[in-house]
Amino acid sequence: MKSSKLAVRIVTAFAKLTGIIPALLFFKYKLYFQNKKSQGRRLPSPCILVSNHKSLMDFVLYLIVFPFRTIRFLMAEVLYNKGAFFGKFLSLLGGIKVDRDNYDFGFVGESLEVLDDNGTVGIFPEGRLPVNGVPWPFKPSVVYIALRTDAPIVPIYTDGNYGIFKRTHVMIGEKIYIKDYCREEDPSPEELDRLTKLLQEKVFALGDELNRAVNGNNGEKMSQQNNPQNKKKSAFELRHLPMDIGRIICAPCALAFRMKRIGLDGKKYDKRLRGGNLVVANHERFSDPFVVGTCFWYRRTFCLAAEVVMKNPIVAFLLKGMGCIRIDRTISDIEAIKKSVSLLKEGHVLVMFPQGGIDRSGEIDKVKGGSIIIAMQAGVPIVPMYTRKRKHWYNRQLAVIGEPFICSEICKKKFPSITDIETLSAELLKRMEECREVYDIIEGGESNDNV
């Protein structure tokens, strides 16, 4: 339910007056400007404030940074679902509800009404919080709104460094008129995608400028020091103790496989994985995670497990202790993606079966793009692998491991499109097929030797 303009102004002003002192103690922000001569804190009327999204506190930050401007922020429906009172309070603060589940585009019309009335609309185009510091691609709705009005876009970047003993840094960029880059009000999907990426690049370019302004010449060095993958990890971690105990208990069982690892050249695969790696393999039996884990016995191997496998609470408890991450295949399971990216960024090995389910044919017809998205967000190489059930229990378990590849070497974009993900998925399928072909050759040769 929309609140009246007068009610929004009164409640917003009251919230700012009563919260200004504790907010300033918490934020202690410092402003930077892309162009000091032509810019200031004063926002043009009307305008669209576009910012990256580091924390839920970003909304409160901009209320303090622009104390004399009523900003109507687009807010996700999940915030309104926290309770009837909280939802009403957000409406009185000027929130424009975005119902992502039902694809309700009513927020576009409401935003245009605010801009037609010389107001200010605040948008976080990522739509959700980043996963371990990795931002989401911008949604095109911000460009769509900008094309239907003469209001400029004011890009802003914040480092999200919130806390009582911290200082938040904010970079305000120069105004952007989307119509300078496109004259059409109804551009094609490809053009809309291009404009969205252009806006995203401009916003995150402010982040680079902010880093240089705050850290000077040491900015790049500090960024490297803060990279989790550059930090030396301890071999023992208490939180992974149940997993390590399970590995020790299951070690004798792993010996029964008598694992034989082969590279694409047909020779013994003796390379060792270092740092974060995403291992992708075909999936034709329930024991595949155990087989892959045996291949890389010297590393902790985490694995994504379907929700159907973890329905039983006792089984779910044991699998989680062994390093399994539950994923709901019926939805876009953001929580599972976040955990996966986090583990890879910490330098662990994650196992995925990109076919999405068990396929006993031994063929690999297609792979899903989830592994590509996770690998790109974590910035880790993908290691393709192929294995199959042994013909006889006394045979050695054969596994063919391909050469690792990094998605960024094929796709240079920081925020890949659906087409880019499909291209990378096709490349992954090709590399897994190469492993299968080598497997068939070696298996055929061994069969002839036995004859």
Side-chain angles (χ1 to χ4, degrees), residues 34 143 146-147 152-153 155 174-185 187 191-192 194-199 201-202:
Q34 190 177 25
V143 174
L147 286 174
I153 291 176
E174 295 188 86
K175 294 182 290 185
I176 301 172
Y177 289 90
I178 288 294
K179 288 186 177 181
D180 290 344
Y181 302 92
C182 177
R183 297 294 181 181
E184 304 174 26
E185 284 194 1
E191 181 68 6
L192 198 62
R194 182 187 71 82
L195 294 171
T196 304
K197 290 179 179 178
L198 174 66
L199 178 60
E201 290 173 0
K202 288 183 176 292

PDB file of all heavy atoms in Angstrom, residues 34 143 146-147 152-153 155 174-185 187 191-192 194-199 201-202:
ATOM      1  N   GLN A  34      34.005  12.571  -7.858  1.00  0.00           N
ATOM      2  CA  GLN A  34      34.722  12.257  -9.087  1.00  0.00           C
ATOM      3  C   GLN A  34      35.256  13.521  -9.745  1.00  0.00           C
ATOM      4  O   GLN A  34      36.331  13.536 -10.319  1.00  0.00           O
ATOM      5  CB  GLN A  34      33.801  11.489 -10.044  1.00  0.00           C
ATOM      6  CG  GLN A  34      34.507  10.901 -11.249  1.00  0.00           C
ATOM      7  CD  GLN A  34      33.569  10.091 -12.118  1.00  0.00           C
ATOM      8  OE1 GLN A  34      32.357  10.307 -12.117  1.00  0.00           O
ATOM      9  NE2 GLN A  34      34.124   9.138 -12.862  1.00  0.00           N
ATOM     10  N   VAL A 143      17.833   1.080 -16.130  1.00  0.00           N
ATOM     11  CA  VAL A 143      17.986   1.693 -17.453  1.00  0.00           C
ATOM     12  C   VAL A 143      16.625   1.948 -18.077  1.00  0.00           C
ATOM     13  O   VAL A 143      16.395   2.984 -18.714  1.00  0.00           O
ATOM     14  CB  VAL A 143      18.842   0.783 -18.362  1.00  0.00           C
ATOM     15  CG1 VAL A 143      18.889   1.334 -19.786  1.00  0.00           C
ATOM     16  CG2 VAL A 143      20.244   0.653 -17.799  1.00  0.00           C
ATOM     17  N   ALA A 146      15.232   5.030 -16.535  1.00  0.00           N
ATOM     18  CA  ALA A 146      15.973   6.227 -16.958  1.00  0.00           C
ATOM     19  C   ALA A 146      15.618   6.637 -18.376  1.00  0.00           C
ATOM     20  O   ALA A 146      15.584   7.837 -18.693  1.00  0.00           O
ATOM     21  CB  ALA A 146      17.475   5.974 -16.838  1.00  0.00           C
ATOM     22  N   LEU A 147      15.333   5.673 -19.249  1.00  0.00           N
ATOM     23  CA  LEU A 147      15.005   5.992 -20.631  1.00  0.00           C
ATOM     24  C   LEU A 147      13.636   6.640 -20.773  1.00  0.00           C
ATOM     25  O   LEU A 147      13.359   7.303 -21.780  1.00  0.00           O
ATOM     26  CB  LEU A 147      15.061   4.719 -21.492  1.00  0.00           C
ATOM     27  CG  LEU A 147      16.454   4.172 -21.813  1.00  0.00           C
ATOM     28  CD1 LEU A 147      16.349   2.837 -22.532  1.00  0.00           C
ATOM     29  CD2 LEU A 147      17.241   5.167 -22.661  1.00  0.00           C
ATOM     30  N   PRO A 152      18.512  12.652 -14.727  1.00  0.00           N
ATOM     31  CA  PRO A 152      19.861  12.066 -14.820  1.00  0.00           C
ATOM     32  C   PRO A 152      20.072  10.991 -13.759  1.00  0.00           C
ATOM     33  O   PRO A 152      19.372  10.942 -12.744  1.00  0.00           O
ATOM     34  CB  PRO A 152      20.774  13.260 -14.579  1.00  0.00           C
ATOM     35  CG  PRO A 152      19.980  14.140 -13.652  1.00  0.00           C
ATOM     36  CD  PRO A 152      18.539  13.977 -14.076  1.00  0.00           C
ATOM     37  N   ILE A 153      21.057  10.150 -13.996  1.00  0.00           N
ATOM     38  CA  ILE A 153      21.472   9.160 -13.009  1.00  0.00           C
ATOM     39  C   ILE A 153      22.694   9.695 -12.280  1.00  0.00           C
ATOM     40  O   ILE A 153      23.651  10.154 -12.901  1.00  0.00           O
ATOM     41  CB  ILE A 153      21.814   7.818 -13.690  1.00  0.00           C
ATOM     42  CG1 ILE A 153      20.553   7.169 -14.245  1.00  0.00           C
ATOM     43  CG2 ILE A 153      22.503   6.871 -12.711  1.00  0.00           C
ATOM     44  CD1 ILE A 153      20.822   5.889 -15.018  1.00  0.00           C
ATOM     45  N   PRO A 155      25.560   8.308 -10.138  1.00  0.00           N
ATOM     46  CA  PRO A 155      26.193   7.066  -9.665  1.00  0.00           C
ATOM     47  C   PRO A 155      26.952   7.285  -8.368  1.00  0.00           C
ATOM     48  O   PRO A 155      27.611   8.314  -8.181  1.00  0.00           O
ATOM     49  CB  PRO A 155      27.143   6.703 -10.804  1.00  0.00           C
ATOM     50  CG  PRO A 155      27.512   8.026 -11.407  1.00  0.00           C
ATOM     51  CD  PRO A 155      26.293   8.910 -11.255  1.00  0.00           C
ATOM     52  N   GLU A 174      29.870  11.731 -11.531  1.00  0.00           N
ATOM     53  CA  GLU A 174      29.211  12.743 -12.349  1.00  0.00           C
ATOM     54  C   GLU A 174      27.900  12.220 -12.922  1.00  0.00           C
ATOM     55  O   GLU A 174      27.733  11.011 -13.123  1.00  0.00           O
ATOM     56  CB  GLU A 174      30.142  13.174 -13.483  1.00  0.00           C
ATOM     57  CG  GLU A 174      31.404  13.869 -13.004  1.00  0.00           C
ATOM     58  CD  GLU A 174      32.203  14.445 -14.167  1.00  0.00           C
ATOM     59  OE1 GLU A 174      31.912  15.584 -14.581  1.00  0.00           O
ATOM     60  OE2 GLU A 174      33.105  13.753 -14.644  1.00  0.00           O
ATOM     61  N   LYS A 175      26.998  13.133 -13.209  1.00  0.00           N
ATOM     62  CA  LYS A 175      25.684  12.760 -13.720  1.00  0.00           C
ATOM     63  C   LYS A 175      25.802  12.004 -15.047  1.00  0.00           C
ATOM     64  O   LYS A 175      26.671  12.295 -15.862  1.00  0.00           O
ATOM     65  CB  LYS A 175      24.813  14.010 -13.915  1.00  0.00           C
ATOM     66  CG  LYS A 175      24.454  14.722 -12.620  1.00  0.00           C
ATOM     67  CD  LYS A 175      23.563  15.913 -12.882  1.00  0.00           C
ATOM     68  CE  LYS A 175      24.336  17.021 -13.587  1.00  0.00           C
ATOM     69  NZ  LYS A 175      23.505  18.241 -13.739  1.00  0.00           N
ATOM     70  N   ILE A 176      24.892  11.050 -15.210  1.00  0.00           N
ATOM     71  CA  ILE A 176      24.845  10.250 -16.444  1.00  0.00           C
ATOM     72  C   ILE A 176      23.450  10.376 -17.046  1.00  0.00           C
ATOM     73  O   ILE A 176      22.443  10.153 -16.365  1.00  0.00           O
ATOM     74  CB  ILE A 176      25.147   8.764 -16.160  1.00  0.00           C
ATOM     75  CG1 ILE A 176      26.535   8.586 -15.524  1.00  0.00           C
ATOM     76  CG2 ILE A 176      25.028   7.941 -17.444  1.00  0.00           C
ATOM     77  CD1 ILE A 176      26.807   7.183 -15.055  1.00  0.00           C
ATOM     78  N   TYR A 177      23.399  10.728 -18.296  1.00  0.00           N
ATOM     79  CA  TYR A 177      22.130  10.754 -19.024  1.00  0.00           C
ATOM     80  C   TYR A 177      22.121   9.561 -19.981  1.00  0.00           C
ATOM     81  O   TYR A 177      22.852   9.552 -20.981  1.00  0.00           O
ATOM     82  CB  TYR A 177      21.960  12.060 -19.796  1.00  0.00           C
ATOM     83  CG  TYR A 177      21.713  13.260 -18.901  1.00  0.00           C
ATOM     84  CD1 TYR A 177      22.779  14.019 -18.425  1.00  0.00           C
ATOM     85  CD2 TYR A 177      20.415  13.630 -18.544  1.00  0.00           C
ATOM     86  CE1 TYR A 177      22.564  15.114 -17.601  1.00  0.00           C
ATOM     87  CE2 TYR A 177      20.188  14.729 -17.716  1.00  0.00           C
ATOM     88  CZ  TYR A 177      21.257  15.473 -17.255  1.00  0.00           C
ATOM     89  OH  TYR A 177      21.043  16.564 -16.439  1.00  0.00           O
ATOM     90  N   ILE A 178      21.309   8.570 -19.655  1.00  0.00           N
ATOM     91  CA  ILE A 178      21.259   7.357 -20.467  1.00  0.00           C
ATOM     92  C   ILE A 178      20.865   7.659 -21.907  1.00  0.00           C
ATOM     93  O   ILE A 178      21.322   6.999 -22.848  1.00  0.00           O
ATOM     94  CB  ILE A 178      20.283   6.337 -19.846  1.00  0.00           C
ATOM     95  CG1 ILE A 178      20.885   5.737 -18.574  1.00  0.00           C
ATOM     96  CG2 ILE A 178      19.947   5.220 -20.820  1.00  0.00           C
ATOM     97  CD1 ILE A 178      22.115   4.880 -18.822  1.00  0.00           C
ATOM     98  N   LYS A 179      20.042   8.695 -22.082  1.00  0.00           N
ATOM     99  CA  LYS A 179      19.602   9.029 -23.437  1.00  0.00           C
ATOM    100  C   LYS A 179      20.753   9.519 -24.319  1.00  0.00           C
ATOM    101  O   LYS A 179      20.607   9.575 -25.540  1.00  0.00           O
ATOM    102  CB  LYS A 179      18.499  10.071 -23.381  1.00  0.00           C
ATOM    103  CG  LYS A 179      17.170   9.510 -22.868  1.00  0.00           C
ATOM    104  CD  LYS A 179      16.050  10.537 -22.949  1.00  0.00           C
ATOM    105  CE  LYS A 179      14.730   9.926 -22.501  1.00  0.00           C
ATOM    106  NZ  LYS A 179      13.609  10.887 -22.578  1.00  0.00           N
ATOM    107  N   ASP A 180      21.873   9.867 -23.713  1.00  0.00           N
ATOM    108  CA  ASP A 180      23.042  10.234 -24.511  1.00  0.00           C
ATOM    109  C   ASP A 180      23.657   9.007 -25.188  1.00  0.00           C
ATOM    110  O   ASP A 180      24.418   9.139 -26.143  1.00  0.00           O
ATOM    111  CB  ASP A 180      24.105  10.902 -23.629  1.00  0.00           C
ATOM    112  CG  ASP A 180      23.665  12.283 -23.168  1.00  0.00           C
ATOM    113  OD1 ASP A 180      22.713  12.826 -23.752  1.00  0.00           O
ATOM    114  OD2 ASP A 180      24.276  12.807 -22.206  1.00  0.00           O
ATOM    115  N   TYR A 181      23.331   7.811 -24.654  1.00  0.00           N
ATOM    116  CA  TYR A 181      23.871   6.571 -25.194  1.00  0.00           C
ATOM    117  C   TYR A 181      22.835   5.772 -25.986  1.00  0.00           C
ATOM    118  O   TYR A 181      23.192   4.824 -26.679  1.00  0.00           O
ATOM    119  CB  TYR A 181      24.399   5.698 -24.043  1.00  0.00           C
ATOM    120  CG  TYR A 181      25.467   6.376 -23.214  1.00  0.00           C
ATOM    121  CD1 TYR A 181      25.123   7.114 -22.080  1.00  0.00           C
ATOM    122  CD2 TYR A 181      26.806   6.293 -23.564  1.00  0.00           C
ATOM    123  CE1 TYR A 181      26.099   7.755 -21.316  1.00  0.00           C
ATOM    124  CE2 TYR A 181      27.786   6.919 -22.809  1.00  0.00           C
ATOM    125  CZ  TYR A 181      27.426   7.652 -21.687  1.00  0.00           C
ATOM    126  OH  TYR A 181      28.387   8.279 -20.940  1.00  0.00           O
ATOM    127  N   CYS A 182      21.563   6.180 -25.851  1.00  0.00           N
ATOM    128  CA  CYS A 182      20.494   5.493 -26.576  1.00  0.00           C
ATOM    129  C   CYS A 182      19.286   6.416 -26.661  1.00  0.00           C
ATOM    130  O   CYS A 182      18.794   6.888 -25.638  1.00  0.00           O
ATOM    131  CB  CYS A 182      20.126   4.180 -25.878  1.00  0.00           C
ATOM    132  SG  CYS A 182      18.754   3.307 -26.639  1.00  0.00           S
ATOM    133  N   ARG A 183      18.785   6.655 -27.867  1.00  0.00           N
ATOM    134  CA  ARG A 183      17.656   7.562 -28.075  1.00  0.00           C
ATOM    135  C   ARG A 183      16.309   6.838 -28.037  1.00  0.00           C
ATOM    136  O   ARG A 183      15.269   7.478 -28.025  1.00  0.00           O
ATOM    137  CB  ARG A 183      17.805   8.279 -29.422  1.00  0.00           C
ATOM    138  CG  ARG A 183      19.044   9.174 -29.504  1.00  0.00           C
ATOM    139  CD  ARG A 183      18.951  10.331 -28.554  1.00  0.00           C
ATOM    140  NE  ARG A 183      20.116  11.208 -28.626  1.00  0.00           N
ATOM    141  CZ  ARG A 183      20.277  12.293 -27.872  1.00  0.00           C
ATOM    142  NH1 ARG A 183      19.360  12.600 -26.982  1.00  0.00           N
ATOM    143  NH2 ARG A 183      21.365  13.035 -27.978  1.00  0.00           N
ATOM    144  N   GLU A 184      16.329   5.524 -28.014  1.00  0.00           N
ATOM    145  CA  GLU A 184      15.084   4.766 -28.057  1.00  0.00           C
ATOM    146  C   GLU A 184      14.506   4.590 -26.659  1.00  0.00           C
ATOM    147  O   GLU A 184      15.228   4.307 -25.710  1.00  0.00           O
ATOM    148  CB  GLU A 184      15.328   3.385 -28.673  1.00  0.00           C
ATOM    149  CG  GLU A 184      15.944   3.418 -30.058  1.00  0.00           C
ATOM    150  CD  GLU A 184      16.292   2.026 -30.542  1.00  0.00           C
ATOM    151  OE1 GLU A 184      15.647   1.064 -30.086  1.00  0.00           O
ATOM    152  OE2 GLU A 184      17.203   1.906 -31.358  1.00  0.00           O
ATOM    153  N   GLU A 185      13.186   4.741 -26.555  1.00  0.00           N
ATOM    154  CA  GLU A 185      12.525   4.495 -25.271  1.00  0.00           C
ATOM    155  C   GLU A 185      12.275   3.009 -25.072  1.00  0.00           C
ATOM    156  O   GLU A 185      12.147   2.544 -23.939  1.00  0.00           O
ATOM    157  CB  GLU A 185      11.194   5.259 -25.189  1.00  0.00           C
ATOM    158  CG  GLU A 185      11.351   6.749 -24.934  1.00  0.00           C
ATOM    159  CD  GLU A 185      10.040   7.386 -24.525  1.00  0.00           C
ATOM    160  OE1 GLU A 185       9.047   6.660 -24.425  1.00  0.00           O
ATOM    161  OE2 GLU A 185      10.034   8.606 -24.297  1.00  0.00           O
ATOM    162  N   PRO A 187      14.241   0.050 -26.298  1.00  0.00           N
ATOM    163  CA  PRO A 187      15.365  -0.596 -26.994  1.00  0.00           C
ATOM    164  C   PRO A 187      15.202  -2.112 -27.022  1.00  0.00           C
ATOM    165  O   PRO A 187      14.425  -2.685 -26.241  1.00  0.00           O
ATOM    166  CB  PRO A 187      16.579  -0.184 -26.155  1.00  0.00           C
ATOM    167  CG  PRO A 187      16.022   0.008 -24.783  1.00  0.00           C
ATOM    168  CD  PRO A 187      14.644   0.574 -24.983  1.00  0.00           C
ATOM    169  N   GLU A 191      20.266  -4.231 -26.711  1.00  0.00           N
ATOM    170  CA  GLU A 191      20.643  -2.854 -26.418  1.00  0.00           C
ATOM    171  C   GLU A 191      20.457  -2.551 -24.936  1.00  0.00           C
ATOM    172  O   GLU A 191      21.269  -1.857 -24.315  1.00  0.00           O
ATOM    173  CB  GLU A 191      19.806  -1.899 -27.270  1.00  0.00           C
ATOM    174  CG  GLU A 191      20.119  -0.419 -27.080  1.00  0.00           C
ATOM    175  CD  GLU A 191      21.489  -0.025 -27.591  1.00  0.00           C
ATOM    176  OE1 GLU A 191      22.175  -0.882 -28.200  1.00  0.00           O
ATOM    177  OE2 GLU A 191      21.887   1.126 -27.386  1.00  0.00           O
ATOM    178  N   LEU A 192      19.387  -3.066 -24.358  1.00  0.00           N
ATOM    179  CA  LEU A 192      19.126  -2.866 -22.932  1.00  0.00           C
ATOM    180  C   LEU A 192      20.230  -3.507 -22.102  1.00  0.00           C
ATOM    181  O   LEU A 192      20.687  -2.930 -21.102  1.00  0.00           O
ATOM    182  CB  LEU A 192      17.762  -3.460 -22.572  1.00  0.00           C
ATOM    183  CG  LEU A 192      17.113  -2.996 -21.264  1.00  0.00           C
ATOM    184  CD1 LEU A 192      16.837  -1.502 -21.287  1.00  0.00           C
ATOM    185  CD2 LEU A 192      15.820  -3.760 -21.012  1.00  0.00           C
ATOM    186  N   ARG A 194      23.309  -4.001 -23.097  1.00  0.00           N
ATOM    187  CA  ARG A 194      24.524  -3.200 -23.297  1.00  0.00           C
ATOM    188  C   ARG A 194      24.529  -1.975 -22.400  1.00  0.00           C
ATOM    189  O   ARG A 194      25.543  -1.641 -21.767  1.00  0.00           O
ATOM    190  CB  ARG A 194      24.626  -2.770 -24.762  1.00  0.00           C
ATOM    191  CG  ARG A 194      25.894  -1.967 -25.081  1.00  0.00           C
ATOM    192  CD  ARG A 194      25.866  -1.414 -26.488  1.00  0.00           C
ATOM    193  NE  ARG A 194      24.908  -0.333 -26.637  1.00  0.00           N
ATOM    194  CZ  ARG A 194      25.132   0.939 -26.309  1.00  0.00           C
ATOM    195  NH1 ARG A 194      26.303   1.289 -25.792  1.00  0.00           N
ATOM    196  NH2 ARG A 194      24.204   1.866 -26.487  1.00  0.00           N
ATOM    197  N   LEU A 195      23.395  -1.289 -22.334  1.00  0.00           N
ATOM    198  CA  LEU A 195      23.298  -0.082 -21.504  1.00  0.00           C
ATOM    199  C   LEU A 195      23.426  -0.411 -20.029  1.00  0.00           C
ATOM    200  O   LEU A 195      24.034   0.346 -19.260  1.00  0.00           O
ATOM    201  CB  LEU A 195      21.963   0.624 -21.776  1.00  0.00           C
ATOM    202  CG  LEU A 195      21.785   1.208 -23.183  1.00  0.00           C
ATOM    203  CD1 LEU A 195      20.345   1.670 -23.387  1.00  0.00           C
ATOM    204  CD2 LEU A 195      22.736   2.372 -23.409  1.00  0.00           C
ATOM    205  N   THR A 196      22.854  -1.537 -19.628  1.00  0.00           N
ATOM    206  CA  THR A 196      22.948  -1.955 -18.225  1.00  0.00           C
ATOM    207  C   THR A 196      24.395  -2.229 -17.834  1.00  0.00           C
ATOM    208  O   THR A 196      24.861  -1.823 -16.767  1.00  0.00           O
ATOM    209  CB  THR A 196      22.094  -3.210 -17.983  1.00  0.00           C
ATOM    210  OG1 THR A 196      20.739  -2.956 -18.372  1.00  0.00           O
ATOM    211  CG2 THR A 196      22.113  -3.603 -16.516  1.00  0.00           C
ATOM    212  N   LYS A 197      25.124  -2.919 -18.702  1.00  0.00           N
ATOM    213  CA  LYS A 197      26.530  -3.207 -18.427  1.00  0.00           C
ATOM    214  C   LYS A 197      27.368  -1.926 -18.427  1.00  0.00           C
ATOM    215  O   LYS A 197      28.303  -1.792 -17.637  1.00  0.00           O
ATOM    216  CB  LYS A 197      27.070  -4.188 -19.463  1.00  0.00           C
ATOM    217  CG  LYS A 197      26.497  -5.592 -19.316  1.00  0.00           C
ATOM    218  CD  LYS A 197      27.035  -6.513 -20.385  1.00  0.00           C
ATOM    219  CE  LYS A 197      26.468  -7.920 -20.211  1.00  0.00           C
ATOM    220  NZ  LYS A 197      26.925  -8.841 -21.272  1.00  0.00           N
ATOM    221  N   LEU A 198      27.006  -0.989 -19.307  1.00  0.00           N
ATOM    222  CA  LEU A 198      27.711   0.291 -19.342  1.00  0.00           C
ATOM    223  C   LEU A 198      27.548   1.030 -18.020  1.00  0.00           C
ATOM    224  O   LEU A 198      28.519   1.554 -17.458  1.00  0.00           O
ATOM    225  CB  LEU A 198      27.167   1.146 -20.487  1.00  0.00           C
ATOM    226  CG  LEU A 198      27.705   2.585 -20.589  1.00  0.00           C
ATOM    227  CD1 LEU A 198      29.192   2.577 -20.921  1.00  0.00           C
ATOM    228  CD2 LEU A 198      26.928   3.382 -21.626  1.00  0.00           C
ATOM    229  N   LEU A 199      26.311   1.061 -17.510  1.00  0.00           N
ATOM    230  CA  LEU A 199      26.054   1.724 -16.233  1.00  0.00           C
ATOM    231  C   LEU A 199      26.788   1.015 -15.109  1.00  0.00           C
ATOM    232  O   LEU A 199      27.371   1.668 -14.223  1.00  0.00           O
ATOM    233  CB  LEU A 199      24.548   1.744 -15.962  1.00  0.00           C
ATOM    234  CG  LEU A 199      24.105   2.352 -14.634  1.00  0.00           C
ATOM    235  CD1 LEU A 199      24.547   3.804 -14.530  1.00  0.00           C
ATOM    236  CD2 LEU A 199      22.594   2.243 -14.460  1.00  0.00           C
ATOM    237  N   GLU A 201      29.553  -0.701 -15.262  1.00  0.00           N
ATOM    238  CA  GLU A 201      30.985  -0.398 -15.366  1.00  0.00           C
ATOM    239  C   GLU A 201      31.305   0.978 -14.810  1.00  0.00           C
ATOM    240  O   GLU A 201      32.326   1.171 -14.142  1.00  0.00           O
ATOM    241  CB  GLU A 201      31.419  -0.494 -16.826  1.00  0.00           C
ATOM    242  CG  GLU A 201      31.436  -1.919 -17.374  1.00  0.00           C
ATOM    243  CD  GLU A 201      31.694  -1.967 -18.865  1.00  0.00           C
ATOM    244  OE1 GLU A 201      31.859  -0.873 -19.464  1.00  0.00           O
ATOM    245  OE2 GLU A 201      31.730  -3.075 -19.434  1.00  0.00           O
ATOM    246  N   LYS A 202      30.433   1.946 -15.069  1.00  0.00           N
ATOM    247  CA  LYS A 202      30.661   3.308 -14.567  1.00  0.00           C
ATOM    248  C   LYS A 202      30.570   3.357 -13.039  1.00  0.00           C
ATOM    249  O   LYS A 202      31.347   4.058 -12.383  1.00  0.00           O
ATOM    250  CB  LYS A 202      29.660   4.276 -15.197  1.00  0.00           C
ATOM    251  CG  LYS A 202      29.931   4.577 -16.678  1.00  0.00           C
ATOM    252  CD  LYS A 202      28.962   5.593 -17.229  1.00  0.00           C
ATOM    253  CE  LYS A 202      29.300   5.966 -18.666  1.00  0.00           C
ATOM    254  NZ  LYS A 202      30.580   6.721 -18.748  1.00  0.00           N
TER     255      LYS A 202
END
